[in-house]
Amino acid sequence: MSLVNLSAVCAHLNNATKARLALTSIPNSNLHLKLSLALQNSGYISSVARGGPTPPPAHGILGYPAVNDEAEGIEPITRDNVASRRLWLGLKYWQNESVLGKIKMVSKPTRRVNIDVEGLRRVVRGEESGFVAGIRSPGESLYLSTDQGILEARECVEKKLGGLVLCRVL
């Protein structure tokens, strides 16, 4: 797991929301895909689609990229093009404001922050636990890498899981 690349993705998403982009791309990796799907499940982004260096074709009715790789115009993955594959993310806006406010890394490449279930319960209640500040507002999310994939902090408390704290969405 490369936290350097993940911090570059977080900075890119912050810049894309400031630039008011509707569609942006990030490098394709399993970590980026799982985090993007977790952000989509939480409602911060509208769509996640795999594609090449050019954006995938938009869905006829919905207007954002088709989710499946079998859509017309998307080439299959081969050894020659695997390095150029991208994840295309549809960003959401509501009342002229970005839904994905600001995304910040908690763990850094030089300091990985792990948290157990008890510490995570304190963080969800709004208290500080070690290097992790508490969740203060209902719209704030904290994402962890666990044995069951990348999950939001409240889900981890329900499932009694701890893990590596990746990033925080404010």
Side-chain angles (χ1 to χ4, degrees), residues 33-68:
L33 177 65
K34 290 176 185 176
L35 180 64
S36 299
L37 291 175
L39 288 171
Q40 185 183 20
N41 288 340
S42 297
Y44 289 112
I45 58 178
S46 62
S47 66
V48 177
R50 281 187 169 148
T54 59
H59 189 274
I61 297 172
L62 301 175
Y64 48 82
V67 177
N68 56 352

PDB file of all heavy atoms in Angstrom, residues 33-68:
ATOM      1  N   LEU A  33      -9.109   2.256  -6.036  1.00  0.00           N
ATOM      2  CA  LEU A  33     -10.448   1.770  -6.379  1.00  0.00           C
ATOM      3  C   LEU A  33     -11.284   1.544  -5.128  1.00  0.00           C
ATOM      4  O   LEU A  33     -12.442   1.961  -5.057  1.00  0.00           O
ATOM      5  CB  LEU A  33     -10.353   0.484  -7.204  1.00  0.00           C
ATOM      6  CG  LEU A  33     -11.674  -0.176  -7.561  1.00  0.00           C
ATOM      7  CD1 LEU A  33     -12.493   0.715  -8.491  1.00  0.00           C
ATOM      8  CD2 LEU A  33     -11.440  -1.529  -8.193  1.00  0.00           C
ATOM      9  N   LYS A  34     -10.712   0.910  -4.111  1.00  0.00           N
ATOM     10  CA  LYS A  34     -11.470   0.635  -2.887  1.00  0.00           C
ATOM     11  C   LYS A  34     -11.840   1.922  -2.161  1.00  0.00           C
ATOM     12  O   LYS A  34     -12.953   2.054  -1.641  1.00  0.00           O
ATOM     13  CB  LYS A  34     -10.668  -0.286  -1.982  1.00  0.00           C
ATOM     14  CG  LYS A  34     -10.566  -1.692  -2.524  1.00  0.00           C
ATOM     15  CD  LYS A  34      -9.697  -2.558  -1.661  1.00  0.00           C
ATOM     16  CE  LYS A  34      -9.504  -3.931  -2.280  1.00  0.00           C
ATOM     17  NZ  LYS A  34      -8.579  -4.757  -1.509  1.00  0.00           N
ATOM     18  N   LEU A  35     -10.918   2.898  -2.119  1.00  0.00           N
ATOM     19  CA  LEU A  35     -11.239   4.175  -1.482  1.00  0.00           C
ATOM     20  C   LEU A  35     -12.306   4.918  -2.282  1.00  0.00           C
ATOM     21  O   LEU A  35     -13.232   5.493  -1.703  1.00  0.00           O
ATOM     22  CB  LEU A  35      -9.996   5.039  -1.322  1.00  0.00           C
ATOM     23  CG  LEU A  35     -10.233   6.394  -0.657  1.00  0.00           C
ATOM     24  CD1 LEU A  35     -10.719   6.213   0.777  1.00  0.00           C
ATOM     25  CD2 LEU A  35      -8.993   7.239  -0.695  1.00  0.00           C
ATOM     26  N   SER A  36     -12.219   4.884  -3.610  1.00  0.00           N
ATOM     27  CA  SER A  36     -13.223   5.545  -4.440  1.00  0.00           C
ATOM     28  C   SER A  36     -14.601   4.925  -4.253  1.00  0.00           C
ATOM     29  O   SER A  36     -15.605   5.641  -4.179  1.00  0.00           O
ATOM     30  CB  SER A  36     -12.820   5.463  -5.914  1.00  0.00           C
ATOM     31  OG  SER A  36     -11.599   6.109  -6.125  1.00  0.00           O
ATOM     32  N   LEU A  37     -14.653   3.607  -4.162  1.00  0.00           N
ATOM     33  CA  LEU A  37     -15.937   2.945  -3.932  1.00  0.00           C
ATOM     34  C   LEU A  37     -16.482   3.258  -2.539  1.00  0.00           C
ATOM     35  O   LEU A  37     -17.695   3.404  -2.361  1.00  0.00           O
ATOM     36  CB  LEU A  37     -15.795   1.443  -4.138  1.00  0.00           C
ATOM     37  CG  LEU A  37     -15.550   1.007  -5.588  1.00  0.00           C
ATOM     38  CD1 LEU A  37     -15.294  -0.493  -5.656  1.00  0.00           C
ATOM     39  CD2 LEU A  37     -16.707   1.407  -6.475  1.00  0.00           C
ATOM     40  N   ALA A  38     -15.594   3.383  -1.539  1.00  0.00           N
ATOM     41  CA  ALA A  38     -16.046   3.774  -0.196  1.00  0.00           C
ATOM     42  C   ALA A  38     -16.585   5.205  -0.209  1.00  0.00           C
ATOM     43  O   ALA A  38     -17.601   5.498   0.437  1.00  0.00           O
ATOM     44  CB  ALA A  38     -14.902   3.630   0.804  1.00  0.00           C
ATOM     45  N   LEU A  39     -15.930   6.102  -0.942  1.00  0.00           N
ATOM     46  CA  LEU A  39     -16.426   7.477  -1.066  1.00  0.00           C
ATOM     47  C   LEU A  39     -17.760   7.513  -1.805  1.00  0.00           C
ATOM     48  O   LEU A  39     -18.645   8.299  -1.461  1.00  0.00           O
ATOM     49  CB  LEU A  39     -15.405   8.350  -1.795  1.00  0.00           C
ATOM     50  CG  LEU A  39     -14.131   8.704  -1.034  1.00  0.00           C
ATOM     51  CD1 LEU A  39     -13.138   9.382  -1.951  1.00  0.00           C
ATOM     52  CD2 LEU A  39     -14.444   9.582   0.158  1.00  0.00           C
ATOM     53  N   GLN A  40     -17.929   6.637  -2.803  1.00  0.00           N
ATOM     54  CA  GLN A  40     -19.194   6.580  -3.521  1.00  0.00           C
ATOM     55  C   GLN A  40     -20.301   6.030  -2.627  1.00  0.00           C
ATOM     56  O   GLN A  40     -21.423   6.536  -2.646  1.00  0.00           O
ATOM     57  CB  GLN A  40     -19.052   5.732  -4.774  1.00  0.00           C
ATOM     58  CG  GLN A  40     -20.297   5.721  -5.624  1.00  0.00           C
ATOM     59  CD  GLN A  40     -20.172   4.822  -6.836  1.00  0.00           C
ATOM     60  OE1 GLN A  40     -19.328   3.934  -6.873  1.00  0.00           O
ATOM     61  NE2 GLN A  40     -21.020   5.056  -7.817  1.00  0.00           N
ATOM     62  N   ASN A  41     -19.992   5.008  -1.819  1.00  0.00           N
ATOM     63  CA  ASN A  41     -20.992   4.463  -0.900  1.00  0.00           C
ATOM     64  C   ASN A  41     -21.417   5.481   0.143  1.00  0.00           C
ATOM     65  O   ASN A  41     -22.553   5.469   0.603  1.00  0.00           O
ATOM     66  CB  ASN A  41     -20.466   3.202  -0.223  1.00  0.00           C
ATOM     67  CG  ASN A  41     -20.402   2.034  -1.175  1.00  0.00           C
ATOM     68  OD1 ASN A  41     -21.061   2.013  -2.202  1.00  0.00           O
ATOM     69  ND2 ASN A  41     -19.571   1.056  -0.831  1.00  0.00           N
ATOM     70  N   SER A  42     -20.501   6.366   0.536  1.00  0.00           N
ATOM     71  CA  SER A  42     -20.842   7.412   1.503  1.00  0.00           C
ATOM     72  C   SER A  42     -21.550   8.589   0.859  1.00  0.00           C
ATOM     73  O   SER A  42     -22.040   9.468   1.556  1.00  0.00           O
ATOM     74  CB  SER A  42     -19.577   7.914   2.200  1.00  0.00           C
ATOM     75  OG  SER A  42     -18.980   6.881   2.933  1.00  0.00           O
ATOM     76  N   GLY A  43     -21.581   8.650  -0.473  1.00  0.00           N
ATOM     77  CA  GLY A  43     -22.305   9.711  -1.157  1.00  0.00           C
ATOM     78  C   GLY A  43     -21.470  10.924  -1.509  1.00  0.00           C
ATOM     79  O   GLY A  43     -22.015  11.952  -1.897  1.00  0.00           O
ATOM     80  N   TYR A  44     -20.153  10.837  -1.420  1.00  0.00           N
ATOM     81  CA  TYR A  44     -19.306  11.988  -1.728  1.00  0.00           C
ATOM     82  C   TYR A  44     -19.047  12.141  -3.222  1.00  0.00           C
ATOM     83  O   TYR A  44     -18.854  13.255  -3.693  1.00  0.00           O
ATOM     84  CB  TYR A  44     -17.965  11.885  -0.996  1.00  0.00           C
ATOM     85  CG  TYR A  44     -18.087  12.091   0.491  1.00  0.00           C
ATOM     86  CD1 TYR A  44     -17.854  11.048   1.371  1.00  0.00           C
ATOM     87  CD2 TYR A  44     -18.439  13.318   1.013  1.00  0.00           C
ATOM     88  CE1 TYR A  44     -17.957  11.236   2.729  1.00  0.00           C
ATOM     89  CE2 TYR A  44     -18.558  13.519   2.367  1.00  0.00           C
ATOM     90  CZ  TYR A  44     -18.316  12.466   3.225  1.00  0.00           C
ATOM     91  OH  TYR A  44     -18.428  12.650   4.570  1.00  0.00           O
ATOM     92  N   ILE A  45     -18.993  11.041  -3.960  1.00  0.00           N
ATOM     93  CA  ILE A  45     -18.804  11.114  -5.404  1.00  0.00           C
ATOM     94  C   ILE A  45     -19.930  10.338  -6.084  1.00  0.00           C
ATOM     95  O   ILE A  45     -20.530   9.445  -5.483  1.00  0.00           O
ATOM     96  CB  ILE A  45     -17.419  10.584  -5.847  1.00  0.00           C
ATOM     97  CG1 ILE A  45     -17.195   9.147  -5.407  1.00  0.00           C
ATOM     98  CG2 ILE A  45     -16.320  11.472  -5.321  1.00  0.00           C
ATOM     99  CD1 ILE A  45     -15.871   8.572  -5.868  1.00  0.00           C
ATOM    100  N   SER A  46     -20.211  10.690  -7.333  1.00  0.00           N
ATOM    101  CA  SER A  46     -21.372  10.104  -7.994  1.00  0.00           C
ATOM    102  C   SER A  46     -21.063   8.815  -8.727  1.00  0.00           C
ATOM    103  O   SER A  46     -21.901   7.922  -8.770  1.00  0.00           O
ATOM    104  CB  SER A  46     -21.989  11.115  -8.959  1.00  0.00           C
ATOM    105  OG  SER A  46     -21.049  11.452  -9.966  1.00  0.00           O
ATOM    106  N   SER A  47     -19.887   8.698  -9.342  1.00  0.00           N
ATOM    107  CA  SER A  47     -19.614   7.507 -10.127  1.00  0.00           C
ATOM    108  C   SER A  47     -18.132   7.175 -10.113  1.00  0.00           C
ATOM    109  O   SER A  47     -17.285   8.048  -9.941  1.00  0.00           O
ATOM    110  CB  SER A  47     -20.073   7.703 -11.573  1.00  0.00           C
ATOM    111  OG  SER A  47     -19.297   8.707 -12.189  1.00  0.00           O
ATOM    112  N   VAL A  48     -17.843   5.890 -10.296  1.00  0.00           N
ATOM    113  CA  VAL A  48     -16.481   5.390 -10.426  1.00  0.00           C
ATOM    114  C   VAL A  48     -16.482   4.482 -11.640  1.00  0.00           C
ATOM    115  O   VAL A  48     -17.267   3.536 -11.712  1.00  0.00           O
ATOM    116  CB  VAL A  48     -16.043   4.588  -9.178  1.00  0.00           C
ATOM    117  CG1 VAL A  48     -14.647   4.023  -9.367  1.00  0.00           C
ATOM    118  CG2 VAL A  48     -16.124   5.438  -7.927  1.00  0.00           C
ATOM    119  N   ALA A  49     -15.620   4.789 -12.617  1.00  0.00           N
ATOM    120  CA  ALA A  49     -15.546   3.977 -13.829  1.00  0.00           C
ATOM    121  C   ALA A  49     -14.087   3.795 -14.218  1.00  0.00           C
ATOM    122  O   ALA A  49     -13.301   4.731 -14.130  1.00  0.00           O
ATOM    123  CB  ALA A  49     -16.312   4.643 -14.966  1.00  0.00           C
ATOM    124  N   ARG A  50     -13.759   2.569 -14.630  1.00  0.00           N
ATOM    125  CA  ARG A  50     -12.415   2.313 -15.126  1.00  0.00           C
ATOM    126  C   ARG A  50     -12.368   2.684 -16.599  1.00  0.00           C
ATOM    127  O   ARG A  50     -13.312   2.443 -17.343  1.00  0.00           O
ATOM    128  CB  ARG A  50     -12.067   0.848 -14.978  1.00  0.00           C
ATOM    129  CG  ARG A  50     -11.661   0.477 -13.604  1.00  0.00           C
ATOM    130  CD  ARG A  50     -11.167  -0.941 -13.595  1.00  0.00           C
ATOM    131  NE  ARG A  50     -10.524  -1.234 -12.327  1.00  0.00           N
ATOM    132  CZ  ARG A  50     -10.539  -2.409 -11.760  1.00  0.00           C
ATOM    133  NH1 ARG A  50     -11.140  -3.416 -12.329  1.00  0.00           N
ATOM    134  NH2 ARG A  50      -9.932  -2.588 -10.613  1.00  0.00           N
ATOM    135  N   GLY A  51     -11.249   3.253 -17.015  1.00  0.00           N
ATOM    136  CA  GLY A  51     -11.096   3.612 -18.413  1.00  0.00           C
ATOM    137  C   GLY A  51      -9.641   3.812 -18.754  1.00  0.00           C
ATOM    138  O   GLY A  51      -8.746   3.556 -17.950  1.00  0.00           O
ATOM    139  N   GLY A  52      -9.412   4.284 -19.944  1.00  0.00           N
ATOM    140  CA  GLY A  52      -8.065   4.548 -20.415  1.00  0.00           C
ATOM    141  C   GLY A  52      -7.701   5.998 -20.183  1.00  0.00           C
ATOM    142  O   GLY A  52      -8.266   6.681 -19.323  1.00  0.00           O
ATOM    143  N   PRO A  53      -6.757   6.509 -20.978  1.00  0.00           N
ATOM    144  CA  PRO A  53      -6.348   7.908 -20.819  1.00  0.00           C
ATOM    145  C   PRO A  53      -7.427   8.904 -21.218  1.00  0.00           C
ATOM    146  O   PRO A  53      -7.409  10.049 -20.785  1.00  0.00           O
ATOM    147  CB  PRO A  53      -5.130   8.044 -21.726  1.00  0.00           C
ATOM    148  CG  PRO A  53      -4.936   6.760 -22.405  1.00  0.00           C
ATOM    149  CD  PRO A  53      -5.930   5.782 -21.911  1.00  0.00           C
ATOM    150  N   THR A  54      -8.392   8.468 -22.028  1.00  0.00           N
ATOM    151  CA  THR A  54      -9.508   9.342 -22.386  1.00  0.00           C
ATOM    152  C   THR A  54     -10.727   8.925 -21.575  1.00  0.00           C
ATOM    153  O   THR A  54     -10.860   7.756 -21.220  1.00  0.00           O
ATOM    154  CB  THR A  54      -9.834   9.245 -23.888  1.00  0.00           C
ATOM    155  OG1 THR A  54     -10.157   7.886 -24.200  1.00  0.00           O
ATOM    156  CG2 THR A  54      -8.648   9.694 -24.725  1.00  0.00           C
ATOM    157  N   PRO A  55     -11.622   9.855 -21.260  1.00  0.00           N
ATOM    158  CA  PRO A  55     -12.779   9.495 -20.440  1.00  0.00           C
ATOM    159  C   PRO A  55     -13.667   8.477 -21.129  1.00  0.00           C
ATOM    160  O   PRO A  55     -13.794   8.482 -22.356  1.00  0.00           O
ATOM    161  CB  PRO A  55     -13.527  10.815 -20.254  1.00  0.00           C
ATOM    162  CG  PRO A  55     -12.736  11.863 -20.880  1.00  0.00           C
ATOM    163  CD  PRO A  55     -11.600  11.266 -21.597  1.00  0.00           C
ATOM    164  N   PRO A  56     -14.280   7.592 -20.349  1.00  0.00           N
ATOM    165  CA  PRO A  56     -15.213   6.629 -20.939  1.00  0.00           C
ATOM    166  C   PRO A  56     -16.451   7.353 -21.447  1.00  0.00           C
ATOM    167  O   PRO A  56     -16.755   8.462 -21.010  1.00  0.00           O
ATOM    168  CB  PRO A  56     -15.540   5.689 -19.783  1.00  0.00           C
ATOM    169  CG  PRO A  56     -15.212   6.451 -18.561  1.00  0.00           C
ATOM    170  CD  PRO A  56     -14.139   7.414 -18.919  1.00  0.00           C
ATOM    171  N   PRO A  57     -17.170   6.744 -22.376  1.00  0.00           N
ATOM    172  CA  PRO A  57     -18.377   7.405 -22.893  1.00  0.00           C
ATOM    173  C   PRO A  57     -19.427   7.567 -21.793  1.00  0.00           C
ATOM    174  O   PRO A  57     -19.544   6.736 -20.903  1.00  0.00           O
ATOM    175  CB  PRO A  57     -18.858   6.458 -23.992  1.00  0.00           C
ATOM    176  CG  PRO A  57     -18.219   5.152 -23.694  1.00  0.00           C
ATOM    177  CD  PRO A  57     -16.937   5.447 -22.981  1.00  0.00           C
ATOM    178  N   ALA A  58     -20.154   8.663 -21.879  1.00  0.00           N
ATOM    179  CA  ALA A  58     -21.188   8.945 -20.876  1.00  0.00           C
ATOM    180  C   ALA A  58     -22.394   8.051 -21.107  1.00  0.00           C
ATOM    181  O   ALA A  58     -22.711   7.677 -22.234  1.00  0.00           O
ATOM    182  CB  ALA A  58     -21.599  10.406 -20.953  1.00  0.00           C
ATOM    183  N   HIS A  59     -23.060   7.702 -20.024  1.00  0.00           N
ATOM    184  CA  HIS A  59     -24.297   6.935 -20.087  1.00  0.00           C
ATOM    185  C   HIS A  59     -25.364   7.810 -20.734  1.00  0.00           C
ATOM    186  O   HIS A  59     -25.447   9.006 -20.467  1.00  0.00           O
ATOM    187  CB  HIS A  59     -24.706   6.530 -18.667  1.00  0.00           C
ATOM    188  CG  HIS A  59     -25.838   5.562 -18.624  1.00  0.00           C
ATOM    189  ND1 HIS A  59     -27.141   5.968 -18.640  1.00  0.00           N
ATOM    190  CD2 HIS A  59     -25.854   4.204 -18.575  1.00  0.00           C
ATOM    191  CE1 HIS A  59     -27.927   4.908 -18.589  1.00  0.00           C
ATOM    192  NE2 HIS A  59     -27.167   3.832 -18.552  1.00  0.00           N
ATOM    193  N   GLY A  60     -26.183   7.218 -21.572  1.00  0.00           N
ATOM    194  CA  GLY A  60     -27.168   7.994 -22.316  1.00  0.00           C
ATOM    195  C   GLY A  60     -28.176   8.724 -21.459  1.00  0.00           C
ATOM    196  O   GLY A  60     -28.541   9.854 -21.740  1.00  0.00           O
ATOM    197  N   ILE A  61     -28.623   8.111 -20.390  1.00  0.00           N
ATOM    198  CA  ILE A  61     -29.665   8.708 -19.555  1.00  0.00           C
ATOM    199  C   ILE A  61     -29.065   9.460 -18.367  1.00  0.00           C
ATOM    200  O   ILE A  61     -29.451  10.579 -18.062  1.00  0.00           O
ATOM    201  CB  ILE A  61     -30.633   7.622 -19.055  1.00  0.00           C
ATOM    202  CG1 ILE A  61     -31.342   6.982 -20.248  1.00  0.00           C
ATOM    203  CG2 ILE A  61     -31.640   8.199 -18.076  1.00  0.00           C
ATOM    204  CD1 ILE A  61     -32.179   5.787 -19.890  1.00  0.00           C
ATOM    205  N   LEU A  62     -28.099   8.833 -17.715  1.00  0.00           N
ATOM    206  CA  LEU A  62     -27.570   9.408 -16.485  1.00  0.00           C
ATOM    207  C   LEU A  62     -26.612  10.561 -16.722  1.00  0.00           C
ATOM    208  O   LEU A  62     -26.492  11.445 -15.880  1.00  0.00           O
ATOM    209  CB  LEU A  62     -26.881   8.314 -15.659  1.00  0.00           C
ATOM    210  CG  LEU A  62     -27.778   7.142 -15.257  1.00  0.00           C
ATOM    211  CD1 LEU A  62     -26.964   6.075 -14.554  1.00  0.00           C
ATOM    212  CD2 LEU A  62     -28.905   7.626 -14.376  1.00  0.00           C
ATOM    213  N   GLY A  63     -25.874  10.538 -17.832  1.00  0.00           N
ATOM    214  CA  GLY A  63     -24.987  11.645 -18.137  1.00  0.00           C
ATOM    215  C   GLY A  63     -23.570  11.488 -17.621  1.00  0.00           C
ATOM    216  O   GLY A  63     -22.701  12.228 -18.015  1.00  0.00           O
ATOM    217  N   TYR A  64     -23.312  10.539 -16.722  1.00  0.00           N
ATOM    218  CA  TYR A  64     -21.940  10.309 -16.274  1.00  0.00           C
ATOM    219  C   TYR A  64     -21.467   8.962 -16.804  1.00  0.00           C
ATOM    220  O   TYR A  64     -22.247   8.198 -17.349  1.00  0.00           O
ATOM    221  CB  TYR A  64     -21.797  10.424 -14.758  1.00  0.00           C
ATOM    222  CG  TYR A  64     -22.812   9.687 -13.927  1.00  0.00           C
ATOM    223  CD1 TYR A  64     -22.667   8.342 -13.667  1.00  0.00           C
ATOM    224  CD2 TYR A  64     -23.902  10.345 -13.387  1.00  0.00           C
ATOM    225  CE1 TYR A  64     -23.590   7.667 -12.906  1.00  0.00           C
ATOM    226  CE2 TYR A  64     -24.833   9.679 -12.619  1.00  0.00           C
ATOM    227  CZ  TYR A  64     -24.669   8.331 -12.384  1.00  0.00           C
ATOM    228  OH  TYR A  64     -25.575   7.662 -11.634  1.00  0.00           O
ATOM    229  N   PRO A  65     -20.169   8.645 -16.673  1.00  0.00           N
ATOM    230  CA  PRO A  65     -19.627   7.448 -17.334  1.00  0.00           C
ATOM    231  C   PRO A  65     -20.316   6.166 -16.900  1.00  0.00           C
ATOM    232  O   PRO A  65     -20.735   6.011 -15.758  1.00  0.00           O
ATOM    233  CB  PRO A  65     -18.170   7.425 -16.903  1.00  0.00           C
ATOM    234  CG  PRO A  65     -17.866   8.798 -16.489  1.00  0.00           C
ATOM    235  CD  PRO A  65     -19.142   9.393 -15.996  1.00  0.00           C
ATOM    236  N   ALA A  66     -20.401   5.230 -17.849  1.00  0.00           N
ATOM    237  CA  ALA A  66     -20.959   3.921 -17.554  1.00  0.00           C
ATOM    238  C   ALA A  66     -20.012   3.179 -16.619  1.00  0.00           C
ATOM    239  O   ALA A  66     -18.802   3.295 -16.719  1.00  0.00           O
ATOM    240  CB  ALA A  66     -21.165   3.142 -18.840  1.00  0.00           C
ATOM    241  N   VAL A  67     -20.561   2.411 -15.695  1.00  0.00           N
ATOM    242  CA  VAL A  67     -19.766   1.756 -14.671  1.00  0.00           C
ATOM    243  C   VAL A  67     -19.088   0.500 -15.199  1.00  0.00           C
ATOM    244  O   VAL A  67     -17.978   0.185 -14.843  1.00  0.00           O
ATOM    245  CB  VAL A  67     -20.651   1.426 -13.448  1.00  0.00           C
ATOM    246  CG1 VAL A  67     -19.867   0.671 -12.406  1.00  0.00           C
ATOM    247  CG2 VAL A  67     -21.206   2.702 -12.857  1.00  0.00           C
ATOM    248  N   ASN A  68     -19.721  -0.213 -16.084  1.00  0.00           N
ATOM    249  CA  ASN A  68     -19.180  -1.497 -16.518  1.00  0.00           C
ATOM    250  C   ASN A  68     -18.097  -1.317 -17.571  1.00  0.00           C
ATOM    251  O   ASN A  68     -18.116  -0.384 -18.347  1.00  0.00           O
ATOM    252  CB  ASN A  68     -20.288  -2.403 -17.036  1.00  0.00           C
ATOM    253  CG  ASN A  68     -21.067  -1.760 -18.155  1.00  0.00           C
ATOM    254  OD1 ASN A  68     -20.883  -0.596 -18.462  1.00  0.00           O
ATOM    255  ND2 ASN A  68     -21.942  -2.527 -18.769  1.00  0.00           N
TER     256      ASN A  68
END
